[in-house]
Amino acid sequence: MNVHYYEYPVGVVGIEATGDAITGIFFGNRKKADDVIGETSVIKSAATQLDEYFAGNRKGFDLPLCAHGTSFQQSVWKALCSIPYGETRSYGEVARAVGNANAFRAVGAANHCNPIAIVVPCHRVVRQGGSLGGYAGGLDIKKYLLELEKSCSFSLG
């Protein structure tokens, strides 16, 4: 597994890849013994796209992803990718989108296990009343990402 760390407005972000696919984007330094520190072309591409995202110039990502999880987690992560930039959905809305309206707690658990932060936008999922809920990267980062997207989604068209 290749991994490289970058500094962004939310702090240190690690990007990991195997072969030609991103397998993880995470907050902080969590180097594992078998990690190879170094940039690959796909890691560089992810870093460039994250730079553009934080600059307010990118609203979607075009990266090869390989996230390992259960079939339910995979369905939740796919549903997260359909939440438009600058918008939020409740855990219940995501549960309904994956075909199980009662699975809102399981959606929260799948969000917590999301290995590809920001690109698979679990930060866009909030509680039913609009409060933030949880976030594996911390609520300060979740709030920052939502405010960034809200401020960059305004258009006159």
Side-chain angles (χ1 to χ4, degrees):
M1 177 109 32
N2 288 307
V3 63
H4 200 79
Y5 295 90
Y6 301 88
E7 187 69 36
Y8 290 106
V10 293
V12 173
V13 173
I15 303 173
E16 62 185 15
T18 300
D20 291 331
I22 298 296
T23 56
I25 295 178
F26 52 89
F27 303 103
N29 187 336
R30 61 178 199 206
K31 185 175 179 331
K32 296 174 257 171
D34 59 344
D35 285 344
V36 175
I37 303 295
E39 291 181 299
T40 64
S41 61
V42 72
I43 288 175
K44 286 179 185 178
S45 179
T48 297
Q49 290 187 35
L50 284 170
D51 283 335
E52 295 166 352
Y53 170 82
F54 283 112
N57 299 323
R58 176 173 285 278
K59 295 182 178 185
F61 295 90
D62 181 22
L63 295 166
L65 306 177
C66 183
H68 298 286
T70 66
S71 59
F72 179 78
Q73 289 170 330
Q74 295 281 342
S75 69
V76 169
W77 300 336
K78 183 177 180 181
L80 298 179
C81 291
S82 71
I83 302 172
Y85 179 94
E87 295 184 20
T88 59
R89 299 291 183 269
S90 72
Y91 294 97
E93 288 173 313
V94 176
R96 286 189 292 281
V98 298
N100 187 343
N102 296 320
F104 55 91
R105 285 189 182 91
V107 166
N111 275 7
H112 183 74
C113 294
N114 172 18
I116 305 177
I118 304 171
V119 172
V120 177
C122 56
H123 62 277
R124 295 181 187 152
V125 182
V126 297
R127 290 185 175 146
Q128 184 66 34
S131 65
L132 293 183
Y135 190 60
L139 290 181
D140 288 344
I141 292 176
K142 183 173 186 170
K143 183 177 178 182
Y144 178 89
L145 296 172
L146 291 173
E147 288 176 356
L148 171 72
E149 291 184 10
K150 184 177 179 184
S151 70
C152 294
S153 64
F154 179 77
S155 95
L156 296 173

